[in-house]
Amino acid sequence: MSRSPLQTWVDNIAQLTQPERVVWVTGEAAEQREILAGLVREKTLIALNSELRPNSFLARTDPRDVARVEERTFICSEKREDAGPTNNWVEPELMRAELKTLFDGCMAGRTMYVIPFSMGPIDSPQARFGIEVTDSPYVVASMAVMTTVSTKVKECIEAGAEWVPAVHSVGVPLNEDNAWTTNRAWPCNPEKIKVVHFSETREIWSFGSGYGGNSLLGKKAMALRIGSIQGRDQGWLAEHMLIMRVTSPAGKKFTFTAAFPSACGKTNFAMLMPNLEGYKVETIGDDIAWLAPNANGRLVAINPETGFFGVAPGTSVKTNKNAIDAIRSNTIFTNVALTDDGDVWWEGLTDEKPDHLIDWRGNDWTPESETPAAHPNSRFCVPISNCLTTPDDWNRTEGFEVDAILFGGRRATNVPLVTQANSWAHGVFMGSTISSEQTAAAEGPVGVLRRDPFAMLPFCGYNMADYWSHWLEVGESLSEAGRPQIFQVNWFRKDSNGKFIWPGFSDNLRVVDWIIKRLEGEVSGRESAVGIVPADGELNLTDVQLSEDGLKELFDINKTSWLAEAEMIGDYYETFDGHVPGALDSELKALQSRLQGAAA
Ligand code: OXD
Ligand code: MN
């Protein structure tokens, strides 16, 4: 019998990387138990106190391998302009030659695992398959939490289903004197890290890092970068968005998706604890949404992941009780601190710091220590089924019809608490302008902004401006009535003393409440130069500590400052060399003329 294309590909990778053996991963529970036990034996994982934190583990990485490495992440398309100005680009043939050298013999002495995985429920028309080959058992264990790993995926691929090939190696063969490996329990090759995406062949190659964002290739690499390319070519959208379902006091269910840049509270918002009577919030996803038009002309969201890979520091009963409840068991922690009784701790978990800890580097730590006990990017990796606010039908194959899409950055100035777009094109314009201040606003009418359009800056697999055109096209393919409404939100506006004005967290439900009232036609809002904002009295502020002045500042639209902002958007658009769709240029002009017409 001839070998299948999948088997031939696996053989070729093994030929190149020279592992000692090849193991096909099945996704069965017993296999996961064995992988975890092996990781404990190898000291990559520490088993936590099983009474305090059942079936949970702690990994400490090499201190040089603690985060995604954007400057070593590449989109290798045939044409440079298809990667666009926001991505690192290298000519594909040149990159292939480099990778060949890097991967040559890189798995010697190790086991090469072959992981068949699905992003999305296997039977969903929106699911996409991948095969990750890796020499890291930590990656095998984490992929089993974050994706659907199953032999069934292998069978579907063998039967002809589309799949994304993904190759990962920590880059430390066991047959050499690997002087750069200071931590045998966390092998990595930090000087040579590369995370590469080939656009036309939709392949992923990741070398040198074991850290999740660089090594769990179903997540950012496939579900966003390659996913956005698949979406462009197949008429759907791969987005850096949470998905939540909100039930209103009237008992009606609404699906929201929301894009916020990394570390802007997406997980907290996805698990929001309602503080208004009669509301219920359910968590469908906290990081990635795949959105596709359905036969009814509606946009349908699925969460392609099966777990949360969340930032630990700052997570507490006060900021996100649902996350704290979810990580009580079955959790793999990375780079948090270890308590003396074998549990975990991080900055912000409790008001009072423990007297003694082992920090993320494995050193003794006391409150007098000058470095944080947990790395600021330390993580928990936990199955979504652990989350009490996740409903049983979270992974239903037909997905969730989206009612509203929210975009938000971290803006101290200009951007109101909530603004509704006038149209789909205006909403796409809003998404393209997501940004956060880099420096104090005092330096000018608007501080220097870090642009993060659609919160996709590190994750868009092709030319960002072409991606905006694709958003406009997908909007066109939806029915007028079924098209989600688009809103911009900003929890981070500051007053003249540099203090946050809005309390955030559970009070963000008040913004959701106004959005639902807009969707239901129960409130009319007020037209402003930047979009529709709540009219006086429409936002439910009962029991919120907010002065009359604070409320005014939250919605203040300063003409001079906004004209400066609009000019900066124009300058930003120019960097895309003519790729920005005409509809967005028109939106910018329309904004400028509304601002010109507005009172000073
Ligand atoms: C993440 C990120 O880890 O956005 O989700 O960086
Ligand atoms: Mn993210």
Side-chain angles (χ1 to χ4, degrees):
M1 216 176 88
S2 66
R3 315 218 98 194
S4 67
L6 172 57
Q7 188 62 52
T8 304
W9 177 78
V10 170
D11 291 347
N12 288 342
I13 300 296
Q15 182 86 32
L16 171 66
T17 58
Q18 294 291 307
E20 194 168 291
R21 61 184 145 330
V22 177
V23 170
W24 281 84
V25 177
T26 64
E28 281 160 23
E31 173 191 74
Q32 176 77 342
R33 276 197 297 275
E34 244 173 69
I35 292 277
L36 289 166
L39 283 161
V40 172
R41 273 196 308 276
E42 297 292 320
K43 300 194 166 30
T44 303
L45 293 184
I46 296 165
L48 297 172
N49 182 329
S50 60
E51 277 171 26
L52 301 173
R53 203 68 69 171
N55 193 31
S56 297
F57 304 87
L58 166 63
R60 293 191 192 117
T61 72
D62 184 297
R64 299 164 298 173
D65 188 22
V66 292
R68 286 187 292 105
V69 193
E70 289 178 14
E71 58 292 359
R72 311 262 193 92
T73 300
F74 297 87
I75 300 296
C76 296
S77 45
E78 295 292 340
K79 287 200 239 140
R80 183 179 204 136
E81 68 170 334
D82 287 341
T86 59
N87 282 312
N88 299 314
W89 178 86
V90 169
E91 204 261 307
E93 282 322 303
L94 211 65
M95 182 58 90
R96 280 192 193 281
E98 265 189 63
L99 291 177
K100 198 155 179 258
T101 311
L102 281 176
F103 280 84
D104 188 7
C106 70
M107 295 188 190
R110 294 195 184 276
T111 299
M112 178 175 118
Y113 298 92
V114 186
I115 312 171
F117 67 94
S118 173
M119 300 310 290
I122 295 180
D123 299 327
S124 163
Q126 280 180 256
R128 293 292 179 275
F129 302 146
I131 299 283
E132 176 163 354
V133 155
T134 181
D135 53 8
S136 162
Y138 167 89
V139 167
V140 177
S142 308
M143 282 290 283
V145 175
M146 297 303 296
T147 73
T148 304
V149 176
S150 167
T151 301
K152 206 168 149 201
V153 171
K154 180 182 178 221
E155 289 161 6
C156 292
I157 292 173
E158 301 278 14
E162 175 194 9
W163 60 288
V164 172
V167 186
H168 169 254
S169 173
V170 293
V172 188
L174 290 175
N175 59 349
E176 284 176 24
D177 174 19
N178 302 320
W180 67 86
T181 307
T182 49
N183 179 352
R184 292 238 145 233
W186 189 271
C188 61
N189 197 338
E191 297 287 311
K192 295 190 180 163
I193 291 174
K194 268 200 168 60
V195 184
V196 181
H197 310 74
F198 290 103
S199 316
E200 281 77 14
T201 52
R202 298 184 191 160
E203 284 162 83
I204 304 162
W205 290 74
S206 170
F207 185 88
S209 168
Y211 169 77
N214 304 320
S215 68
L216 310 182
L217 298 182
K219 193 174 180 59
K220 303 299 189 181
M222 175 168 160
L224 291 177
R225 299 195 193 99
I226 296 292
S228 60
I229 294 173
Q230 290 174 308
R232 174 194 64 189
D233 298 345
Q234 300 167 357
W236 53 278
L237 299 162
E239 297 305 320
H240 192 203
M241 289 180 177
L242 64 89
I243 309 169
M244 64 199 235
R245 182 166 63 182
V246 182
T247 308
S248 70
K252 204 164 162 190
K253 292 182 192 311
F254 300 86
T255 298
F256 284 57
T257 66
F260 305 150
S262 303
C264 283
K266 267 204 339 285
T267 302
N268 292 349
F269 190 55
M271 297 181 187
L272 186 136
M273 308 265 284
N275 64 356
L276 291 176
E277 200 54 38
Y279 270 104
K280 179 172 164 190
V281 172
E282 292 170 297
T283 311
I284 313 292
D286 82 325
D287 195 43
I288 298 176
W290 281 357
L291 309 174
N294 70 4
N296 305 331
R298 299 288 311 268
L299 193 62
V300 170
I302 66 159
N303 172 9
E305 301 191 279
T306 55
F308 306 125
F309 182 68
V311 174
T315 308
S316 71
V317 175
K318 284 190 201 145
T319 61
N320 191 342
K321 180 172 181 308
N322 288 322
I324 293 291
D325 287 341
I327 60 181
R328 287 200 192 285
S329 64
N330 301 306
T331 303
I332 302 172
F333 296 91
T334 301
N335 286 342
V336 300
L338 181 67
T339 63
D340 291 350
D341 55 0
D343 201 2
V344 286
W345 191 85
W346 47 80
E347 277 68 20
L349 178 63
T350 51
D351 289 339
E352 217 160 286
K353 296 176 178 176
D355 291 340
H356 178 260
L357 295 164
I358 303 295
D359 73 8
W360 70 277
R361 291 170 185 263
N363 298 325
D364 283 308
W365 183 97
T366 66
E368 285 71 49
S369 298
E370 275 164 14
T371 50
H375 187 278
N377 191 35
S378 53
R379 300 281 174 149
F380 52 79
C381 176
V382 64
I384 189 168
S385 54
N386 264 32
C387 179
L388 299 176
T389 52
T390 294
D392 289 343
D393 68 346
W394 73 272
N395 61 350
R396 62 192 198 191
T397 51
E398 71 274 28
F400 296 84
E401 291 183 347
V402 179
D403 298 293
I405 297 173
L406 276 52
F407 292 119
R410 193 180 263 277
R411 290 296 306 269
T413 63
N414 273 14
V415 180
L417 177 66
V418 55
T419 320
Q420 182 178 7
N422 301 316
S423 64
W424 183 266
H426 185 218
V428 174
F429 171 78
M430 283 176 170
S432 78
T433 66
I434 292 187
S435 51
S436 305
E437 265 97 357
Q438 256 179 350
T439 53
E443 289 179 16
V446 194
V448 176
L449 298 178
R450 179 186 195 259
R451 301 264 160 206
D452 192 352
F454 285 74
M456 283 286 278
L457 185 69
F459 308 123
C460 184
Y462 60 102
N463 188 309
M464 181 66 84
D466 294 345
Y467 159 88
W468 300 336
S469 299
H470 182 54
W471 258 82
L472 293 168
E473 280 160 22
V474 170
E476 288 292 313
S477 74
L478 302 171
S479 76
E480 180 73 34
R483 206 174 280 147
Q485 292 293 312
I486 301 181
F487 297 80
Q488 181 165 29
V489 297
N490 177 28
W491 321 135
F492 300 100
R493 195 129 174 199
K494 290 186 175 169
D495 65 16
S496 48
N497 298 319
K499 288 229 164 66
F500 289 118
I501 305 172
W502 182 245
F505 299 105
S506 287
D507 284 318
N508 293 339
L509 184 66
R510 295 163 192 277
V511 171
V512 170
D513 172 66
W514 181 75
I515 290 173
I516 288 177
K517 288 183 176 138
R518 282 292 298 150
L519 297 175
E520 292 292 86
E522 290 170 13
V523 292
S524 57
R526 173 172 65 79
E527 297 271 352
S528 82
V530 301
I532 301 161
V533 293
D536 282 351
E538 285 182 358
L539 200 60
N540 179 346
L541 294 172
T542 316
D543 298 332
V544 182
Q545 304 289 326
L546 192 66
S547 66
E548 197 61 22
D549 280 354
L551 183 61
K552 250 171 84 194
E553 271 181 280
L554 269 180
F555 287 99
D556 182 44
I557 296 160
N558 178 288
K559 181 171 169 176
T560 313
S561 193
W562 261 101
L563 281 168
E565 173 123 9
E567 202 174 314
M568 285 160 75
I569 295 169
D571 292 346
Y572 183 56
Y573 277 3
E574 298 234 323
T575 64
F576 291 94
D577 263 345
H579 278 253
V580 174
L584 295 196
D585 283 327
S586 305
E587 286 299 330
L588 176 58
K589 287 205 183 79
L591 169 67
Q592 282 167 321
S593 83
R594 287 195 303 267
L595 287 166
Q596 296 290 4

